[in-house]
Amino acid sequence: MRHDIHPIYGPVVVRDNSCGKMFLTRSTLAGNAHALPTIEWEDGNTYPLVVTEITSYSHPFYTGKNVVLDTAGQVQKFNARYGRRTGKEQA
């Protein structure tokens, strides 16, 4: 592997804003540690803090809590326009 072409890869704490959970992982964002806030982790060390809106803790795909939001009958409008049709309607 060539030297000096890869970004710095180190530990960071990621906080999910939607649910408040945090976890320690490794990321290339550690290279910007001077511009990130820091947090003291459970092991007593201080790590850069990366705040995100969604992680695997809150994303519906990973939590299994898929919700279909139907505002103003959008699903019904779609089904009326493009939905499945029976054999009688196609003739």
XYZ file of all heavy atoms in Angstrom:
718
model
N 0.839 -1.159 0.000
C 0.000 0.000 0.000
C 0.897 1.239 0.000
O 1.852 1.322 0.761
C -0.896 -0.039 1.247
C -1.923 1.018 1.250
S -3.279 0.792 2.434
C -2.500 0.321 3.938
N 0.569 2.198 -0.856
C 1.366 3.418 -0.918
C 1.088 4.292 0.296
O -0.026 4.349 0.799
C 1.035 4.198 -2.177
C 1.540 3.502 -3.418
C 1.383 4.266 -4.686
N 0.795 5.576 -4.584
C 0.297 6.244 -5.592
N 0.290 5.714 -6.784
N -0.224 7.440 -5.428
N 2.129 4.981 0.728
C 1.998 5.873 1.874
C 1.462 7.229 1.430
O 1.627 7.648 0.291
C 3.354 6.049 2.566
C 3.851 4.782 3.180
N 3.309 4.249 4.322
C 4.824 3.924 2.803
C 3.936 3.146 4.621
N 4.865 2.909 3.707
N 0.817 7.924 2.347
C 0.354 9.304 2.169
C -0.732 9.487 1.114
O -0.889 10.582 0.588
C 1.534 10.240 1.856
C 2.571 10.215 2.957
O 2.187 10.041 4.133
O 3.763 10.387 2.643
N -1.480 8.450 0.770
C -2.591 8.640 -0.164
C -3.939 8.328 0.493
O -4.973 8.635 -0.058
C -2.449 7.783 -1.444
C -2.488 6.299 -1.111
C -1.198 8.153 -2.206
C -2.668 5.415 -2.326
N -3.906 7.725 1.677
C -5.137 7.335 2.345
C -5.466 8.306 3.473
O -4.577 8.818 4.137
C -5.022 5.916 2.900
C -4.811 4.903 1.822
N -5.815 4.490 0.990
C -3.706 4.240 1.429
C -5.347 3.603 0.138
N -4.065 3.439 0.372
N -6.766 8.551 3.697
C -7.143 9.449 4.794
C -6.875 8.794 6.151
O -6.774 7.570 6.265
C -8.638 9.675 4.584
C -9.098 8.508 3.802
C -7.928 8.079 2.959
N -6.793 9.613 7.169
C -6.608 9.114 8.529
C -7.862 8.350 8.936
O -8.985 8.796 8.704
C -6.340 10.280 9.488
C -5.020 10.947 9.121
C -6.328 9.806 10.934
C -4.758 12.223 9.868
N -7.679 7.189 9.531
C -8.779 6.308 9.921
C -8.638 6.036 11.406
O -7.646 5.457 11.844
C -8.684 5.022 9.108
C -9.799 4.039 9.323
C -11.075 4.310 8.864
C -9.573 2.834 9.953
C -12.102 3.412 9.033
C -10.590 1.920 10.126
C -11.852 2.209 9.662
O -12.869 1.309 9.824
N -9.594 6.486 12.203
C -9.463 6.306 13.643
C -10.803 6.249 14.334
O -11.869 6.343 13.710
N -10.779 6.120 15.662
C -12.022 5.970 16.419
C -12.795 7.284 16.531
O -12.210 8.350 16.700
C -11.552 5.495 17.796
C -10.159 5.993 17.909
C -9.604 6.011 16.518
N -14.118 7.186 16.433
C -15.033 8.305 16.644
C -16.282 7.770 17.341
O -16.592 6.590 17.251
C -15.444 9.010 15.324
C -14.267 9.644 14.635
C -16.174 8.080 14.404
N -16.984 8.649 18.038
C -18.268 8.301 18.642
C -19.348 8.901 17.756
O -19.291 10.074 17.397
C -18.383 8.845 20.078
C -19.774 8.611 20.638
C -17.340 8.186 20.969
N -20.323 8.085 17.375
C -21.428 8.537 16.534
C -22.671 8.628 17.406
O -23.008 7.673 18.113
C -21.664 7.567 15.362
C -22.849 8.007 14.532
C -20.423 7.459 14.506
N -23.351 9.792 17.345
C -24.598 9.978 18.098
C -25.752 10.141 17.115
O -25.691 10.942 16.197
C -24.525 11.198 19.008
C -25.824 11.383 19.806
C -25.768 12.490 20.806
N -25.637 13.756 20.102
C -25.106 14.843 20.635
N -24.632 14.812 21.850
N -25.032 15.951 19.940
N -26.814 9.373 17.336
C -28.024 9.448 16.521
C -28.937 10.496 17.143
O -29.402 10.335 18.263
C -28.707 8.084 16.493
C -29.897 8.024 15.561
O -30.474 9.087 15.270
O -30.248 6.921 15.149
N -29.198 11.588 16.435
C -30.020 12.670 16.959
C -31.472 12.264 17.164
O -32.144 12.786 18.038
C -29.973 13.875 16.023
C -29.163 14.991 16.604
O -28.621 14.888 17.689
N -29.067 16.076 15.863
N -31.991 11.340 16.367
C -33.405 11.006 16.457
C -33.737 10.143 17.672
O -34.849 10.209 18.181
C -33.880 10.324 15.182
O -33.178 9.134 14.984
N -32.780 9.329 18.146
C -33.082 8.492 19.308
C -32.108 8.692 20.464
O -32.341 8.188 21.553
C -33.144 7.016 18.909
S -31.585 6.318 18.402
N -31.011 9.404 20.230
C -30.069 9.706 21.299
C -29.041 8.630 21.586
O -28.196 8.807 22.459
N -29.071 7.511 20.884
C -28.100 6.442 21.139
C -26.746 6.809 20.556
O -26.647 7.531 19.564
C -28.588 5.132 20.547
C -29.813 4.614 21.244
C -30.009 3.165 20.978
C -31.210 2.705 21.768
N -31.230 1.296 21.929
N -25.691 6.290 21.175
C -24.326 6.539 20.723
C -23.564 5.224 20.645
O -23.868 4.276 21.376
C -23.606 7.479 21.694
C -24.196 8.864 21.746
S -23.206 10.027 22.686
C -23.377 9.396 24.339
N -22.577 5.181 19.740
C -21.719 4.014 19.650
C -20.332 4.436 19.181
O -20.158 5.456 18.534
C -22.305 2.928 18.736
C -22.607 3.382 17.335
C -21.668 3.227 16.328
C -23.829 3.946 17.020
C -21.942 3.628 15.035
C -24.116 4.347 15.732
C -23.167 4.189 14.735
N -19.358 3.644 19.543
C -17.963 3.888 19.183
C -17.631 3.068 17.953
O -17.917 1.876 17.899
C -17.041 3.499 20.341
C -15.549 3.688 20.143
C -15.207 5.168 19.979
C -14.786 3.108 21.320
N -17.055 3.707 16.955
C -16.682 3.028 15.717
C -15.420 3.680 15.170
O -14.858 4.581 15.794
C -17.838 3.084 14.696
O -17.496 2.265 13.582
C -18.111 4.497 14.237
N -14.980 3.237 14.020
C -13.815 3.846 13.369
C -14.282 4.496 12.077
O -15.172 3.991 11.414
C -12.753 2.786 13.094
C -12.176 2.225 14.384
C -11.192 1.108 14.160
N -10.127 1.413 13.248
C -8.941 1.957 13.580
N -8.712 2.254 14.831
N -8.033 2.191 12.680
N -13.671 5.629 11.736
C -14.108 6.375 10.567
C -12.980 7.245 10.050
O -12.052 7.593 10.789
C -15.305 7.258 10.935
O -15.633 8.127 9.880
N -13.092 7.642 8.778
C -12.134 8.591 8.225
C -12.425 10.011 8.700
O -11.618 10.904 8.483
C -12.152 8.562 6.686
O -13.475 8.808 6.234
C -11.664 7.218 6.162
N -13.564 10.224 9.354
C -13.856 11.529 9.940
C -12.914 11.851 11.085
O -12.834 13.001 11.519
C -15.302 11.583 10.426
C -16.359 11.568 9.326
C -17.742 11.431 9.938
C -16.268 12.824 8.500
N -12.187 10.867 11.580
C -11.207 11.110 12.633
C -10.117 12.057 12.144
O -9.471 12.730 12.942
C -10.595 9.792 13.103
N -9.926 12.147 10.833
C -8.949 13.079 10.281
C -9.344 14.526 10.495
O -8.505 15.425 10.474
N -10.630 14.789 10.699
C -11.130 16.139 10.970
C -11.399 16.337 12.453
O -12.232 17.167 12.823
C -12.422 16.392 10.191
C -12.193 16.399 8.709
O -11.088 16.654 8.261
N -13.225 16.106 7.954
N -10.729 15.615 13.312
C -10.989 15.660 14.747
C -10.814 17.062 15.318
O -11.505 17.432 16.264
C -10.072 14.681 15.469
N -9.943 17.856 14.733
C -9.718 19.212 15.245
C -10.954 20.097 15.057
O -11.151 21.058 15.781
C -8.515 19.840 14.554
C -8.689 19.987 13.074
N -8.495 18.928 12.207
C -9.072 21.031 12.315
C -8.744 19.333 10.973
N -9.094 20.620 11.010
N -11.830 19.772 14.113
C -13.023 20.569 13.833
C -14.286 19.986 14.465
O -15.341 20.602 14.396
C -13.221 20.681 12.320
N -14.185 18.815 15.076
C -15.348 18.149 15.660
C -15.378 18.335 17.178
O -14.321 18.430 17.804
C -15.314 16.646 15.344
C -15.427 16.251 13.887
C -15.171 14.757 13.735
C -16.797 16.608 13.345
N -16.580 18.360 17.767
C -16.645 18.368 19.232
C -16.158 17.024 19.767
O -16.085 16.041 19.032
C -18.127 18.571 19.530
C -18.838 18.170 18.297
C -17.890 18.394 17.154
N -15.820 16.986 21.040
C -15.326 15.739 21.631
C -16.259 15.302 22.746
O -17.061 16.080 23.260
C -13.907 15.918 22.203
O -13.936 16.942 23.186
C -12.914 16.251 21.105
N -16.136 14.023 23.106
C -16.940 13.454 24.181
C -16.097 12.408 24.892
O -15.275 11.727 24.268
C -18.253 12.842 23.633
C -19.187 12.465 24.773
C -17.968 11.663 22.737
C -20.592 12.120 24.325
N -16.300 12.317 26.205
C -15.606 11.284 26.964
C -16.451 10.024 26.919
O -17.630 10.030 27.264
C -15.391 11.719 28.411
C -14.535 10.735 29.178
C -14.139 11.244 30.544
O -14.006 12.463 30.709
O -13.973 10.391 31.436
N -15.848 8.932 26.469
C -16.559 7.671 26.294
C -16.474 6.844 27.564
O -15.776 7.184 28.517
C -15.973 6.934 25.087
C -16.770 5.751 24.638
C -16.364 4.454 24.612
C -18.123 5.744 24.162
N -17.366 3.645 24.140
C -18.462 4.417 23.862
C -19.073 6.724 23.977
C -19.707 4.042 23.383
C -20.311 6.355 23.490
C -20.621 5.027 23.210
N -17.183 5.723 27.600
C -17.270 4.856 28.778
C -15.921 4.334 29.240
O -15.742 4.015 30.408
C -18.192 3.676 28.479
C -19.590 4.097 28.117
C -20.361 3.011 27.399
O -19.771 1.968 27.017
O -21.572 3.208 27.211
N -14.965 4.222 28.318
C -13.655 3.699 28.684
C -12.736 4.769 29.271
O -11.584 4.498 29.601
C -12.989 3.031 27.478
C -12.749 3.981 26.320
O -13.040 5.183 26.446
O -12.258 3.507 25.273
N -13.237 6.000 29.387
C -12.454 7.078 29.977
C -11.670 7.901 28.971
O -11.095 8.929 29.330
N -11.619 7.466 27.718
C -10.898 8.207 26.684
C -11.811 9.242 26.042
O -13.033 9.114 26.054
C -10.371 7.255 25.604
C -9.298 6.332 26.145
O -8.519 6.713 27.011
N -9.285 5.109 25.652
N -11.214 10.260 25.446
C -11.953 11.301 24.749
C -11.843 11.060 23.252
O -10.745 10.869 22.729
C -11.385 12.687 25.107
O -11.465 12.839 26.527
C -12.181 13.786 24.447
N -12.998 11.087 22.573
C -13.056 10.830 21.137
C -13.814 11.958 20.442
O -14.653 12.624 21.045
C -13.785 9.511 20.854
C -13.116 8.297 21.438
C -13.633 7.682 22.572
C -11.972 7.767 20.866
C -13.032 6.563 23.111
C -11.354 6.651 21.404
C -11.887 6.055 22.526
O -11.288 4.944 23.056
N -13.561 12.140 19.129
C -14.369 13.103 18.363
C -15.813 12.616 18.279
O -16.069 11.412 18.221
C -13.722 13.101 16.978
C -12.417 12.411 17.124
C -12.496 11.561 18.336
N -16.760 13.563 18.285
C -18.180 13.226 18.245
C -18.753 13.595 16.883
O -18.648 14.737 16.442
C -18.936 13.989 19.338
C -20.445 13.811 19.378
C -20.804 12.368 19.730
C -21.052 14.770 20.379
N -19.379 12.618 16.217
C -20.047 12.826 14.941
C -21.543 12.688 15.190
O -21.995 11.658 15.682
C -19.583 11.801 13.880
C -20.335 11.988 12.586
C -18.088 11.896 13.669
N -22.299 13.734 14.888
C -23.743 13.721 15.117
C -24.449 13.498 13.779
O -24.191 14.204 12.808
C -24.201 15.058 15.745
C -25.703 15.037 15.982
C -23.451 15.316 17.038
N -25.324 12.498 13.739
C -26.073 12.195 12.516
C -27.562 12.190 12.817
O -27.983 12.075 13.966
C -25.684 10.822 11.936
O -26.033 9.820 12.873
C -24.215 10.747 11.616
N -28.359 12.309 11.790
C -29.808 12.301 11.943
C -30.372 10.895 12.015
O -31.413 10.675 12.622
C -30.469 13.049 10.776
C -30.183 14.521 10.783
C -30.700 15.221 12.039
O -31.821 14.903 12.479
O -29.967 16.049 12.580
N -29.701 9.944 11.390
C -30.256 8.583 11.337
C -29.113 7.576 11.302
O -28.089 7.794 10.667
C -31.182 8.442 10.119
C -32.082 7.254 10.264
C -30.402 8.385 8.832
C -33.281 7.302 9.368
N -29.263 6.498 12.052
C -28.309 5.392 12.060
C -29.110 4.093 12.033
O -30.331 4.108 11.912
C -27.433 5.412 13.332
O -28.263 5.214 14.472
C -26.647 6.699 13.457
N -28.420 2.989 12.196
C -29.124 1.705 12.204
C -30.034 1.563 13.424
O -30.944 0.742 13.427
C -28.123 0.560 12.176
O -27.262 0.629 13.298
N -29.832 2.385 14.457
C -30.720 2.352 15.622
C -32.097 2.928 15.312
O -33.075 2.559 15.930
C -30.123 3.141 16.791
C -29.001 2.428 17.494
C -27.725 2.968 17.507
C -29.214 1.222 18.142
C -26.693 2.324 18.148
C -28.179 0.569 18.783
C -26.920 1.123 18.791
O -25.906 0.482 19.418
N -32.175 3.869 14.371
C -33.450 4.531 14.130
C -33.993 4.365 12.711
O -35.130 4.726 12.448
C -33.317 6.029 14.425
O -32.358 6.617 13.576
N -33.217 3.822 11.796
C -33.684 3.682 10.418
C -34.739 2.575 10.334
O -34.552 1.488 10.870
C -32.502 3.345 9.500
C -32.836 3.485 8.054
N -33.529 2.529 7.356
C -32.586 4.480 7.176
C -33.685 2.919 6.109
N -33.122 4.111 5.978
N -35.870 2.846 9.677
C -36.956 1.853 9.619
C -36.554 0.517 9.016
O -37.084 -0.514 9.404
C -38.008 2.523 8.741
C -37.715 3.964 8.809
C -36.240 4.091 9.029
N -35.608 0.490 8.090
C -35.189 -0.771 7.491
C -34.579 -1.697 8.537
O -34.813 -2.895 8.534
C -34.185 -0.515 6.372
C -33.679 -1.777 5.726
C -34.454 -2.440 4.784
C -32.455 -2.304 6.069
C -34.007 -3.603 4.194
C -31.991 -3.468 5.478
C -32.760 -4.115 4.540
N -33.780 -1.149 9.455
C -33.110 -1.959 10.459
C -33.989 -2.234 11.668
O -33.846 -3.250 12.321
C -31.817 -1.275 10.917
C -30.806 -1.171 9.819
C -30.586 0.035 9.172
C -30.081 -2.274 9.403
C -29.655 0.129 8.145
C -29.160 -2.190 8.382
C -28.947 -0.978 7.758
O -28.046 -0.889 6.752
N -34.905 -1.322 11.988
C -35.745 -1.512 13.167
C -36.984 -2.332 12.866
O -37.629 -2.826 13.778
C -36.188 -0.158 13.744
O -36.944 0.545 12.756
C -35.008 0.670 14.180
N -37.364 -2.451 11.591
C -38.547 -3.205 11.216
C -39.840 -2.453 11.468
O -40.909 -3.027 11.475
N -39.749 -1.162 11.677
C -40.929 -0.343 11.955
C -41.267 0.528 10.754
O -41.324 1.744 10.855
C -40.689 0.529 13.183
C -40.472 -0.267 14.444
C -40.203 0.639 15.606
C -39.949 -0.167 16.859
N -39.577 0.674 17.988
N -41.480 -0.109 9.607
C -41.847 0.648 8.415
C -43.233 1.234 8.586
O -44.168 0.551 8.981
C -41.835 -0.252 7.177
C -40.434 -0.605 6.771
O -39.510 0.108 7.101
N -40.287 -1.693 6.046
N -43.357 2.493 8.281
C -44.624 3.189 8.424
C -44.940 3.865 7.100
O -44.102 4.557 6.532
C -44.546 4.252 9.540
C -45.840 5.018 9.632
C -44.215 3.590 10.861
N -46.152 3.643 6.602
C -46.592 4.319 5.389
C -47.396 5.531 5.820
O -48.444 5.397 6.448
C -47.430 3.386 4.496
C -47.962 4.144 3.297
C -46.621 2.187 4.073
N -46.888 6.703 5.528
C -47.597 7.928 5.865
C -48.453 8.322 4.674
O -47.951 8.579 3.596
C -46.606 9.049 6.193
C -45.717 8.801 7.394
C -44.730 9.942 7.542
C -46.541 8.651 8.647
N -49.745 8.334 4.866
C -50.670 8.681 3.789
C -51.242 10.060 4.077
O -52.164 10.210 4.851
C -51.778 7.644 3.684
C -52.707 7.932 2.527
O -52.299 8.666 1.609
O -53.836 7.422 2.538
N -50.651 11.064 3.466
C -51.136 12.418 3.678
C -52.037 12.801 2.520
O -51.659 12.713 1.361
C -49.966 13.406 3.771
O -49.182 13.303 2.596
C -49.095 13.095 4.979
N -53.226 13.199 2.848
C -54.209 13.682 1.873
C -54.545 12.645 0.815
O -54.778 12.976 -0.338
C -53.726 14.970 1.224
N -54.558 11.366 1.207
C -54.995 10.317 0.288
C -54.066 10.074 -0.889
O -54.524 9.663 -1.957
N -52.771 10.301 -0.724
C -51.834 10.130 -1.826
C -51.793 8.685 -2.321
O -51.674 8.452 -3.516
C -50.431 10.583 -1.410
C -50.329 12.063 -1.109
C -50.635 12.915 -2.323
O -50.212 12.617 -3.431
N -51.399 13.977 -2.123
N -51.892 7.729 -1.405
C -51.879 6.324 -1.817
C -53.121 6.006 -2.636
O -53.045 5.343 -3.676
C -51.768 5.403 -0.584
C -51.921 3.944 -0.994
C -50.445 5.617 0.118
N -54.265 6.508 -2.221
C -55.494 6.263 -2.971
C -55.429 6.924 -4.344
O -55.886 6.347 -5.333
C -56.718 6.785 -2.204
C -57.130 5.902 -1.049
C -56.274 6.147 0.190
O -55.484 7.080 0.240
N -56.416 5.275 1.179
N -54.871 8.128 -4.418
C -54.726 8.800 -5.718
C -53.844 7.984 -6.651
O -54.152 7.809 -7.824
C -54.114 10.188 -5.546
C -55.054 11.233 -5.052
C -54.317 12.568 -5.040
C -55.064 13.619 -4.285
N -54.315 14.879 -4.204
N -52.741 7.483 -6.098
C -51.834 6.686 -6.907
C -52.522 5.411 -7.395
O -52.430 5.065 -8.571
C -50.580 6.329 -6.114
C -49.618 5.464 -6.877
C -48.718 6.025 -7.751
C -49.627 4.083 -6.719
C -47.839 5.229 -8.470
C -48.761 3.281 -7.426
C -47.858 3.870 -8.305
N -53.214 4.712 -6.481
C -53.884 3.469 -6.861
C -54.993 3.722 -7.870
O -55.211 2.910 -8.773
C -54.435 2.755 -5.630
C -53.332 2.099 -4.837
O -52.269 1.778 -5.377
N -53.560 1.925 -3.549
N -55.691 4.827 -7.738
C -56.742 5.142 -8.705
C -56.143 5.422 -10.083
O -56.722 5.048 -11.105
C -57.535 6.359 -8.226
N -54.993 6.033 -10.107
C -54.381 6.397 -11.375
C -53.588 5.246 -12.004
O -53.684 4.977 -13.194
C -53.437 7.574 -11.136
C -53.307 8.482 -12.326
C -52.387 9.635 -12.032
N -53.164 10.768 -11.521
C -52.637 11.859 -11.030
N -51.339 11.962 -10.906
N -53.392 12.844 -10.617
N -52.756 4.565 -11.188
C -51.825 3.569 -11.727
C -51.969 2.185 -11.110
O -51.197 1.305 -11.426
C -50.380 4.027 -11.487
C -50.098 5.398 -12.009
C -49.917 6.463 -11.162
C -50.014 5.627 -13.377
C -49.640 7.731 -11.624
C -49.740 6.885 -13.860
C -49.556 7.932 -12.980
O -49.303 9.173 -13.465
N -52.906 1.992 -10.208
C -53.036 0.728 -9.491
C -53.388 -0.435 -10.401
O -53.626 -0.293 -11.601
N -53.418 -1.606 -9.784
C -53.764 -2.820 -10.538
C -55.199 -2.741 -11.015
O -56.087 -2.242 -10.337
C -53.602 -4.035 -9.658
C -52.181 -4.292 -9.295
C -52.093 -5.569 -8.552
N -50.726 -5.735 -8.050
C -50.267 -6.835 -7.543
N -51.037 -7.875 -7.442
N -49.028 -6.907 -7.125
N -55.410 -3.260 -12.175
C -56.755 -3.269 -12.749
C -57.203 -4.700 -12.947
O -56.413 -5.585 -13.234
C -56.763 -2.532 -14.084
C -56.314 -1.096 -13.871
C -56.425 -0.298 -15.077
N -55.976 1.053 -14.752
C -55.904 2.012 -15.604
N -56.228 1.808 -16.855
N -55.497 3.191 -15.244
N -58.469 -4.910 -12.826
C -59.000 -6.254 -13.024
C -59.111 -6.516 -14.521
O -59.004 -5.620 -15.346
C -60.387 -6.384 -12.369
O -61.266 -5.463 -12.992
C -60.317 -6.117 -10.879
N -59.388 -7.752 -14.902
C -59.497 -8.128 -16.313
C -60.623 -7.408 -17.023
O -60.560 -7.146 -18.212
N -61.695 -7.090 -16.328
C -62.838 -6.422 -16.937
C -62.490 -4.995 -17.374
O -62.949 -4.523 -18.395
C -64.014 -6.389 -15.977
C -64.560 -7.743 -15.629
C -65.652 -7.644 -14.601
C -66.088 -9.011 -14.151
N -67.059 -8.931 -13.059
N -61.674 -4.304 -16.576
C -61.339 -2.925 -16.859
C -60.344 -2.811 -18.025
O -60.291 -1.798 -18.692
C -60.737 -2.248 -15.629
C -61.732 -2.094 -14.513
C -61.068 -1.569 -13.247
O -59.829 -1.468 -13.230
O -61.786 -1.270 -12.291
N -59.540 -3.850 -18.254
C -58.514 -3.790 -19.288
C -59.104 -3.971 -20.669
O -58.512 -3.580 -21.664
C -57.445 -4.856 -19.040
C -56.611 -4.540 -17.817
C -55.594 -5.640 -17.524
O -55.603 -6.684 -18.168
N -54.737 -5.395 -16.564
N -60.267 -4.593 -20.812
C -60.838 -4.927 -22.126
C -61.357 -3.728 -22.848
O -61.510 -2.657 -22.508
C -61.971 -5.929 -21.963
